[in-house]
Amino acid sequence: MIRVMVVDDEALIRTGFQHILEAADDIEVVAAVPGGQAVRTAQERRPAVVLLDIRMPDVDGLTVLAGLRGLPHPPVVAMLTTFGMDEYVTAALRSGAAGFLLKDTDPEQLPSLVRALADGGTVLSSEVTRTVVDGYLSAGPQQEAVRSLDRLTDRERAVLAAVAEGLTNADIAARIHLSTGTVKDHVSAVLTKLEVGSRVQAALLAERAGFLRPPRDQEEP
């Protein structure tokens, strides 16, 4: 079972997400709480995935995210919002969020999105994906990003390329013929060497370094 916690200041939103997710046989909503109770509840209930509202009146979602990331066993966190504004997207991802979902995401998609998050995938609503990429890539390739990639082994670079495609750990394991546990170890090493807090940040750093684009002599004329 995938243990999920929903954090939102509106009881109706919490209840709605809980009902949708608990309809799935492999998902258990272990808590649905407002922001002020989130970190303490996560410490007690140990969810694997947290869906966190980024804008709440009692406590800022980014503050909650920092608290969750600081736990001994931090959950994977995807931010929930009704807004697709640049500053919220980039701030959340830079703080280690694994995804960014609009609250009007198709309910039928939510269980599969949670599964992807639990398996190490990254999730971005289509409405905000372009905003995120444009914001990170506007300055073009950076030499520091290139130097960061030089720290990786060939195997870690292969894992990074797969992460940048949005593949889950299971998908990567199948592609490069490794166990899921070994893939997790490689992903952890990649994040450490690149000095980033999430798979999204690693993928965007790779893009800024030009790692995901073919060499000029291989590009289409």
Side-chain angles (χ1 to χ4, degrees):
M1 296 291 286
I2 301 172
R3 296 170 61 84
V4 178
M5 182 172 77
V6 181
V7 181
D8 196 288
D9 61 303
E10 297 184 37
L12 185 61
I13 297 293
R14 297 197 301 269
T15 301
F17 272 78
Q18 183 169 4
H19 287 329
I20 292 168
L21 293 172
E22 288 190 334
D25 294 336
D26 58 341
I27 295 176
E28 176 188 7
V29 178
V30 297
V33 298
Q37 301 175 25
V39 177
R40 182 180 71 253
T41 303
Q43 196 165 18
E44 295 170 351
R45 304 307 306 274
R46 298 280 293 274
V49 176
V50 174
L51 303 181
L52 170 63
D53 186 9
I54 201 168
R55 294 181 59 166
M56 297 177 289
D58 56 342
V59 60
D60 180 76
L62 295 177
T63 300
V64 175
L65 174 60
L68 293 172
R69 295 286 297 169
L71 292 175
H73 303 282
V76 176
V77 182
M79 310 304 293
L80 297 172
T81 188
T82 54
F83 303 90
M85 300 174 68
D86 302 31
E87 62 267 30
Y88 298 115
V89 175
T90 55
L93 295 177
R94 289 185 187 281
S95 297
F100 198 97
L101 301 176
L102 299 183
K103 289 185 181 179
D104 59 1
T105 297
D106 184 348
E108 293 185 359
Q109 295 181 4
L110 282 176
S112 62
L113 295 175
V114 166
R115 293 184 190 105
L117 289 164
D119 193 35
T122 55
V123 174
L124 291 173
S125 290
S126 59
E127 293 87 343
V128 299
T129 298
R130 191 67 256 165
T131 293
V132 174
V133 174
D134 287 346
Y136 273 78
L137 305 185
S138 58
Q142 293 186 346
Q143 292 306 308
E144 181 57 36
V146 173
R147 286 193 291 272
S148 295
L149 292 181
D150 288 341
R151 304 168 191 163
L152 305 182
T153 66
D154 289 342
R155 177 67 79 185
E156 290 165 351
R157 291 168 74 88
V159 169
L160 174 59
V163 166
E165 291 182 40
L167 300 186
T168 66
N169 290 333
D171 293 333
I172 298 171
R175 171 180 288 188
I176 58 180
H177 310 294
L178 295 173
S179 70
T180 303
T182 300
V183 169
K184 289 181 180 179
D185 290 340
H186 281 312
V187 171
S188 178
V190 168
L191 299 185
T192 299
K193 289 183 178 181
L194 298 184
E195 300 180 359
V196 295
S198 74
R199 297 162 76 108
V200 176
Q201 289 175 301
L204 291 170
L205 185 151
E207 179 65 33
R208 294 192 74 170
F211 175 65
L212 305 179
R213 293 189 290 276
R216 290 183 180 274
D217 59 359
Q218 295 181 21
E219 292 180 349
E220 293 293 330

